[in-house]
Amino acid sequence: MKEQRSLSSQIRIPDQAQSIITLLESAGFFAYAVGGCVRDSLLGREPLDWDVATSARPEQTMRALAGLRVIETGLRHGTVTALAGGLAVEVTSFRLDGGYSDHRRPDAVIFTDDLCADLSRRDFTVNAMAWHPARGLCDPFGGAEDLQARRLRCVGDPARRLEEDALRILRAMRFASVLGFTIEARTAEAVLQYRERLRHVAAERIREELLKLSCGENVRRVLEDYRAVILTVLPPLVSLEPAVVEAIAPDPALRLAALCHAAGEDVAREVTARLRCSRAFTERVALAVRLCSLRLNEIPPGQKRTVRLRRLLGEYGEAALLDGLALTRAAAGTGREACDALQAEVRAIAGQGLCVTRKQLAVNGNDLAALGLKGPALGHTLDRLLEEVLEGRVENTKEALLAATPPLKGL
């Protein structure tokens, strides 16, 4: 217990979560902080969420926390969410899980008074630790030792843990990518062996884990070691290039674009459809892949390139064009200086407020209508005037544009 007390000194529980533990214990129950908040605290990371496990049954938990707002978020599985001082804390009764016929959630749960039994059902040892401000750390499966070794290991039999809940396969890879852990040999073997079970998992859950995984600092190693798993949840046409994923900023849309850029825009759209991404997210990924395929970094500097960039700015906007150039840079391998120069040029053009769209022309449809233009000829003339401005042949002033309009009346 000496090591456990030392480790416990690293945990600083928020007052709101502490108050929930105090209320439950004042009502005669045991209560501990559990799971990811304990893991992250021991790693020196700020926990995003705080979870509490208690010997109280759900209805007893709700009575003990009657002074707080309590939401019945998962009553069937023993979970309620308590809102204390602006912090949402999930409070779950100690439990054992029944069978997992859908390879995702237990068919039934059995409540217990045994904390260690509750911890034994959890996925990985580093997530199977509990902490109490007075009693210290409860670590029956060696999670603290695995944290120190930066090792990810299933609680008990890896095959059973991953067969129960197939999403744990991607969770293992996500922890390895984000935390820089190595997946222990038996657990790694099970990750690969049971990868087909992921076909039973909802696309939204796969998307959540995959995007988090892709943004980890150690994503390249994970993609290289577990390529077969990634290709189970993505279309077979995707050609993984881990070095490209690593080379781009850890932005979910950009990392997903990097995962499938070599296969082209159609495959990128298939991937986002399979993962049920939002329309805006899909468009961002697809446009980055499309613009990367243009190989703008191969265009030498000069007027031709500037005109091309201004056209693309008008068509796609600054954000999309910078995404495409970021992906181009990541895929370039060598010669990334050209991409840096392109990005700087795009920002300069956008910053100068240069005309790149019809709306930015110094004349509009009313101005041309006053000259007698109407119908399709009016729109066509605006397009021609924009082209003249982009090419630098006509200045974007009302006088210059109107002077350039008469020869185009017959179009």
Side-chain angles (χ1 to χ4, degrees):
M1 294 297 293
K2 182 178 179 181
E3 178 189 31
Q4 291 180 337
R5 292 193 192 98
S6 175
L7 287 171
S8 294
S9 67
Q10 299 173 225
I11 299 178
R12 297 288 183 270
I13 187 169
D15 291 341
Q16 302 97 315
Q18 175 64 69
S19 69
I20 289 172
I21 290 176
T22 300
L23 286 170
L24 287 164
E25 296 204 326
S26 297
F29 305 105
F30 292 111
Y32 291 78
V34 293
C37 59
V38 177
R39 177 200 69 228
D40 287 345
S41 294
L42 295 180
L43 285 172
R45 300 163 63 98
E46 185 71 26
L48 297 177
D49 304 293
W50 285 85
D51 297 323
V52 169
T54 179
S55 59
R57 303 301 188 259
E59 64 278 5
Q60 294 170 327
T61 296
M62 296 182 71
R63 284 199 296 269
L65 303 181
L68 302 176
R69 183 185 174 195
V70 179
I71 304 170
E72 299 178 9
T73 47
L75 210 56
R76 177 170 172 258
H77 294 103
T79 300
V80 299
T81 298
L83 303 178
L87 182 69
V89 178
E90 280 200 354
V91 183
T92 303
S93 302
F94 296 164
R95 75 186 204 204
L96 294 170
D97 294 340
Y100 286 73
S101 60
D102 65 354
H103 305 289
R104 180 67 189 98
R105 294 193 178 279
D107 299 327
V109 300
I110 302 167
F111 297 123
T112 176
D113 294 324
D114 187 345
L115 171 61
C116 288
D118 178 84
L119 296 177
S120 72
R121 70 179 175 80
R122 296 173 185 265
D123 50 8
F124 308 110
T125 61
V126 297
N127 295 332
M129 295 182 286
W131 178 82
H132 187 277
R135 290 184 284 273
L137 188 68
C138 178
D139 180 19
F141 304 105
E145 182 180 345
D146 284 337
L147 276 183
Q148 291 180 333
R150 306 193 72 79
R151 177 175 59 227
L152 198 68
R153 179 168 59 92
C154 280
V155 174
D157 177 17
R160 178 181 176 184
R161 290 282 85 85
L162 301 187
E163 192 174 15
E164 285 173 345
D165 181 355
L167 189 62
R168 289 170 176 168
I169 295 168
L170 286 180
R171 280 172 59 82
M173 294 166 58
R174 189 242 296 181
F175 287 131
S177 176
V178 173
L179 300 178
F181 284 15
T182 298
I183 302 178
E184 174 265 341
R186 290 180 62 232
T187 301
E189 181 181 349
V191 163
L192 291 168
Q193 180 180 352
Y194 290 96
R195 63 184 184 274
E196 291 295 330
R197 300 286 189 187
L198 285 166
R199 302 189 189 280
H200 297 281
V201 179
E204 294 84 354
R205 301 308 302 272
I206 288 176
R207 179 188 68 225
E208 181 180 350
E209 293 296 335
L210 182 64
L211 294 181
K212 289 178 181 178
L213 179 167
S214 71
C215 290
E217 292 183 7
N218 297 279
V219 63
R220 180 172 181 173
R221 174 168 57 85
V222 172
L223 292 179
E224 289 172 346
D225 292 346
Y226 300 96
R227 177 183 295 268
V229 180
I230 298 297
L231 294 179
T232 300
V233 298
L234 296 182
L237 290 176
V238 170
S239 178
L240 293 182
E241 295 184 28
V244 176
V245 179
E246 181 186 50
I248 204 165
D251 175 292
L254 293 180
R255 287 278 167 107
L256 187 59
L259 272 173
C260 50
H261 84 280
E265 182 183 351
D266 289 345
V267 172
R269 289 186 179 278
E270 182 182 346
V271 168
T272 54
R274 179 176 292 197
L275 297 176
R276 297 185 182 178
C277 298
S278 70
R279 180 177 298 178
F281 189 92
T282 293
E283 287 305 307
R284 188 178 174 201
V285 171
L287 290 183
V289 173
R290 181 192 301 176
L291 288 164
C292 177
S293 71
L294 300 180
R295 299 181 179 179
L296 298 175
N297 57 316
E298 297 179 5
I299 303 174
Q303 179 65 17
K304 179 180 178 182
R305 187 170 83 175
T306 299
V307 171
R308 182 79 180 278
L309 291 178
R310 290 177 68 180
R311 285 199 183 99
L312 292 172
L313 269 170
E315 186 173 357
Y316 297 105
E318 181 183 5
L321 186 51
L322 289 175
D323 279 352
L325 290 173
L327 185 55
T328 301
R329 185 184 188 281
T334 58
R336 288 176 175 166
E337 295 81 3
C339 296
D340 293 337
L342 279 163
Q343 290 176 313
E345 190 171 349
V346 167
R347 291 189 178 97
I349 294 170
Q352 292 168 19
L354 299 177
C355 177
V356 294
T357 67
R358 275 177 31 170
K359 288 184 178 180
Q360 293 174 305
L361 285 171
V363 296
N364 56 34
N366 291 331
D367 296 319
L368 299 187
L371 298 177
L373 288 170
K374 58 183 179 180
L378 192 151
H380 187 68
T381 299
L382 286 172
D383 289 337
R384 285 287 300 273
L385 290 175
L386 176 61
E387 190 67 19
E388 295 292 305
V389 171
L390 290 175
E391 292 285 351
R393 292 189 289 266
V394 176
E395 188 178 358
N396 186 33
T397 65
K398 188 170 185 178
E399 295 77 9
L401 292 172
L402 290 177
T405 300
L408 305 175
K409 285 183 179 180
L411 292 175

